[in-house]
Amino acid sequence: MKFKYKACVVGGCGHVGLPLAITLADAGLNTAILDINEKAVKTINSGIVPFKEIGAEEKLIKVLKNKKLTTSTNNSIISESEYVVIIIGTPIDRHLNPKIEDIHKVTRQIIPFIKNGQTIILRSTVYPGTSRMIAELLRKNNKKVKLAFCPERIAQGYAIEEIKSLPQIIGGIDKASEKSAIKLFSKIADETIVISLEEAELAKLFTNAWRYIQFATANQFFMIADQKGLDFHKILHAIKHNYPRAKNFPGAGLAAGPCLFKDTMQIAAFNNNQFFLGHAAMLINEGFPDYIITKLKAKYDLKKSRVGILGMSFKADNDDKRDSLAYKLKKVLEIEAREVLCTDVYIKEPGFVNPKTLIKNSDIIIVATPHKEYKKLRFKTKQKIVDIWNFYKKGGTI
Ligand SMILES: NC(=O)c1ccc[n+]([C@@H]2O[C@H](COP(=O)([O-])OP(=O)(O)OC[C@H]3O[C@@H](n4cnc5c(N)ncnc54)[C@H](O)[C@@H]3O)[C@@H](O)[C@H]2O)c1
């Protein structure tokens, strides 16, 4: 059967869907985006990437111009695509359990438009067993399709570069599905790694939990040293300097965002809530803002202090504020301090001030997100700077 599009990316206006759609189109494949977000579709059609993603916009403009990329809010575009790549959000609920219903919902939404012979690729991070459930749902609806789970492993902000350079993990429901998924990803990446469907699902979750636990280790070490008045940053330097086995030891910092925490909790849910390392990491990482505030309270009269939060997004040099711990800091400080001032290079919100105003009016400044634009800021001499990242390379304790 001849299809108009090589691939349709469902959720293609999102943080990971859009870079993938652009990359496929840039590789010369006729690519479609299906998304329910009409505003994002309009923005993308005008050649604007609605979030910060290095190198994405110039490629977007190019693929729109050469008509390799089409966007739609109409499900019928599914019928015209050889591959259907699903990459919608997969959050956890208030019980920290995966909201599996979202991926079922989107599958039911596109089922009427699915044609026999197509390949369905799940690229959202999913709870183990989801891909097989989706395959079963399709089979029950008499859809004779191939299905594979191929997780996205890019670091947000660096997707355009990383989609091509990272090996693509592929888990197919059968050999034909595996082969079909390899065929697509070989067009954009040099390396593919084949494992089973469920192994691929776990591989993605393990990747994120591993990072989350590593950050928690550094954060707990920071708190242990800091509580005793010892400089964690000096200790870290001593550990890492010319010592190959500690090369990848991360520094301390606020570890959050839309993926690491929720994917760690998905493993816990998968393992009968028996994920001690994961739960410990959650307590440490999510507890870091409280540690900072408790420490400040012991030293300063916060009720008389103005506290400035420098950077609000969940990570440096990015504009994504989803699940950012800077907002947790803000929330608690609004109770504990006289006043809280916030600033971010990329996020404009009512009440936010510019860095100059923040420095002028704050007694204490917490570097929550070390955007590179803040490197050259000059603070007042008597100002307390809380720099858990050691962004300004001055070391010290809180
Ligand atoms: N953000 C990351 O850095 C990252 C990295 C790797 C993997 N992931 C995983 O990728 C998935 C997507 O994450 P994201 O950050 O891109 O989310 P996102 O919210 O930025 O994007 C999801 C997109 O799906 C669209 N959408 C939602 N429901 C839809 C529907 N029924 N039909 C069509 N479109 C629909 C939304 O409008 C949105 O544009 C998640 O499973 C996440 O865990 C994210």
Side-chain angles (χ1 to χ4, degrees), residues 78 96 100 151 166 169 188 230 232 244 263 274 278 324 342 360 378 381:
I78 293 281
L96 306 183
I100 305 178
L166 296 179
I169 295 177
I188 53 171
L230 301 171
F232 170 76
D263 290 343
Q274 304 288 301
S324 167
C342 300
K360 189 169 164 230
R378 289 288 162 263
T381 34

Side-chain angles (χ1 to χ4, degrees), residues 11 14-16 35-36 88 90 109 125 152 156 259 262 322:
H15 289 81
V16 283
D35 205 291
I36 49 172
I88 59 150
T90 46
Q109 165 193 325
T125 306
E152 181 58 84
Q156 214 173 303
C259 291
K262 65 114 176 151
R322 291 180 295 174

Side-chain angles (χ1 to χ4, degrees), residues 9-18 34-37 40 51 75 87-91 102-103 105-106 109-110 123-126 151-157 204 208 258-259 262-263 266 314-315 320 322:
V9 181
V10 182
C13 291
H15 289 81
V16 283
L18 183 57
L34 170 67
D35 205 291
I36 49 172
N37 186 339
F51 40 81
N75 292 312
I87 188 144
I88 59 150
T90 46
D102 289 1
I103 202 116
K105 210 169 130 195
V106 77
Q109 165 193 325
I110 61 174
R123 194 138 169 103
S124 295
T125 306
V126 297
E152 181 58 84
R153 295 193 297 163
I154 53 96
Q156 214 173 303
K204 171 62 194 177
N208 277 2
C259 291
K262 65 114 176 151
D263 290 343
Q266 296 210 67
F314 87 85
K315 69 171 185 176
D320 193 346
R322 291 180 295 174

Side-chain angles (χ1 to χ4, degrees), residues 296 299-309 333 336-341 355-366 379-386 398:
L296 287 173
K299 271 181 142 173
Y300 303 92
D301 187 351
L302 281 190
K303 286 280 177 236
K304 289 188 180 152
S305 309
R306 283 202 179 95
V307 184
I309 305 178
L333 284 167
E336 300 288 353
R338 177 175 156 207
E339 196 183 342
V340 186
L341 298 169
K356 227 170 144 186
T357 310
L358 184 123
I359 293 171
K360 189 169 164 230
N361 295 296
S362 303
D363 306 298
I364 300 167
I365 293 178
I366 302 173
F379 301 101
K380 293 195 283 188
T381 34
K382 282 208 177 138
Q383 222 155 25
K384 168 71 183 171
I385 309 297
V386 177
I398 299 177

Side-chain angles (χ1 to χ4, degrees), residues 52 317 345-346 370-377 391-392:
K52 206 168 150 44
D317 309 328
V345 196
Y346 306 111
H371 293 306
K372 61 178 175 307
E373 288 84 351
Y374 297 154
K375 207 66 184 190
K376 291 198 175 116
L377 291 179
F391 182 55
Y392 293 107

Side-chain angles (χ1 to χ4, degrees), residues 6 19 73 105-106 115 129 131 142 148 150 229 257-258 283 341 369:
K6 185 61 148 181
T73 51
K105 210 169 130 195
V106 77
K115 296 259 176 282
S131 306
N142 300 317
C150 309
L283 295 178
L341 298 169
T369 316

Side-chain angles (χ1 to χ4, degrees), residues 79-265:
S79 310
E80 302 177 84
S81 312
E82 186 180 342
Y83 289 83
V84 178
V85 185
I86 301 176
I87 188 144
I88 59 150
T90 46
I92 47 174
D93 65 16
R94 65 178 68 180
H95 306 289
L96 306 183
N97 292 151
K99 279 179 75 197
I100 305 178
E101 60 271 24
D102 289 1
I103 202 116
H104 279 260
K105 210 169 130 195
V106 77
T107 310
R108 276 194 292 272
Q109 165 193 325
I110 61 174
I111 272 178
F113 305 93
I114 289 179
K115 296 259 176 282
N116 289 342
Q118 284 177 321
T119 299
I120 313 298
I121 292 182
L122 294 167
R123 194 138 169 103
S124 295
T125 306
V126 297
Y127 180 76
T130 303
S131 306
R132 203 166 286 279
M133 271 196 275
I134 298 300
E136 186 57 16
L137 185 61
L138 290 162
R139 195 192 58 78
K140 276 189 187 152
N141 282 275
N142 300 317
K143 302 293 175 187
K144 293 183 179 50
V145 291
K146 301 176 201 78
L147 181 137
F149 175 73
C150 309
E152 181 58 84
R153 295 193 297 163
I154 53 96
Q156 214 173 303
Y158 304 91
I160 294 293
E161 157 67 32
E162 287 197 349
I163 290 172
K164 289 182 171 174
S165 62
L166 296 179
Q168 299 291 327
I169 295 177
I170 286 168
I173 190 108
D174 52 29
K175 279 277 164 225
S177 302
E178 210 174 271
K179 263 176 85 177
S180 181
I182 294 173
K183 216 168 151 193
L184 180 69
F185 282 103
S186 299
K187 307 252 185 235
I188 53 171
D190 290 339
E191 217 181 329
T192 51
I193 305 173
V194 176
I195 48 179
S196 79
L197 200 58
E198 286 77 11
E199 284 165 350
E201 291 174 332
L202 268 182
K204 171 62 194 177
L205 292 176
F206 284 172
T207 306
N208 277 2
W210 164 238
R211 270 169 70 69
Y212 195 60
I213 292 165
Q214 279 182 308
F215 293 144
T217 306
N219 288 341
Q220 178 140 52
F221 288 168
F222 175 96
M223 291 184 237
I224 289 171
D226 190 76
Q227 253 164 15
K228 304 285 180 194
L230 301 171
D231 187 337
F232 170 76
H233 310 296
K234 274 194 197 160
I235 301 171
L236 187 65
H237 171 72
I239 294 172
K240 291 181 74 162
H241 186 68
N242 285 343
Y243 188 65
R245 282 177 290 288
K247 206 173 93 205
N248 297 324
F249 202 126
L254 297 180
C259 291
L260 299 190
F261 174 27
K262 65 114 176 151
D263 290 343
T264 305
M265 291 306 107

